[in-house]
Amino acid sequence: MTRRLPRHLAILLIVASVSASVGLGDAAANHAPEDAVCIPGAVVTAYSAEQYPGRTSDGTITVQAVRDGQYIAAASYRIPMGATVELDNHLAYRVADRGLLDEHGITVDVLMATTAEARQWGARRMTVCWWM
């Protein structure tokens, strides 16, 4: 006799695997070091490889980054290119792009695979920590 997972657990497993594939996976190994700079209440938005299928400022191809499972983000000029940014102590991204984020009050813009995922993410206030 095979046992099936209850529906709510099966849905949670699917959501967790989809989240990991679009850059929302738990990056526990990347917890911020003691000397990280942290900005509580920073605005974090998302953009998509569908909308921006080209290259980031550091030359990363967005579509390939999503396909390869890289977690990349655009960040305000306060955060250096190549820095690691960690969102709420568990989501870690590499800063690979810039934008006019500061003038809109946004600190980090994370890359998602699809525009629907980016819209679902919306704008969130999170603690953003960064380090080199």
Side-chain angles (χ1 to χ4, degrees):
M1 180 172 136
T2 55
R3 291 189 48 155
R4 294 179 58 174
L5 283 174
R7 183 173 166 78
H8 69 282
L9 289 179
I11 291 170
L12 283 174
L13 288 172
I14 291 167
V15 169
S17 71
V18 169
S19 295
S21 72
V22 297
L24 301 178
D26 186 17
N30 292 323
H31 282 304
E34 295 281 325
D35 62 343
V37 176
C38 295
I39 306 165
V43 177
V44 179
T45 56
Y47 69 109
S48 76
E50 286 178 342
Q51 290 177 301
Y52 301 98
R55 293 181 184 271
T56 63
S57 297
D58 76 351
T60 302
I61 300 169
T62 58
V63 175
Q64 185 175 344
V66 167
R67 186 175 44 240
D68 293 346
Q70 296 180 44
Y71 303 141
I72 64 171
S76 68
Y77 286 94
R78 294 179 279 180
I79 302 173
M81 288 290 285
T84 297
V85 293
E86 183 179 79
L87 310 178
D88 280 348
N89 295 318
H90 66 284
L91 306 173
Y93 296 81
R94 176 178 52 86
V95 175
D97 210 354
R98 293 285 184 226
L100 300 173
L101 303 176
D102 283 324
E103 65 186 52
H104 298 291
I106 298 167
T107 305
V108 175
D109 198 21
V110 297
L111 178 65
M112 301 282 178
T114 68
T115 303
E117 292 164 340
R119 285 190 179 127
Q120 183 178 5
W121 176 274
R124 301 178 184 192
R125 290 213 174 265
M126 305 176 93
T127 298
V128 172
C129 295
W130 64 266
W131 66 92
M132 292 301 293

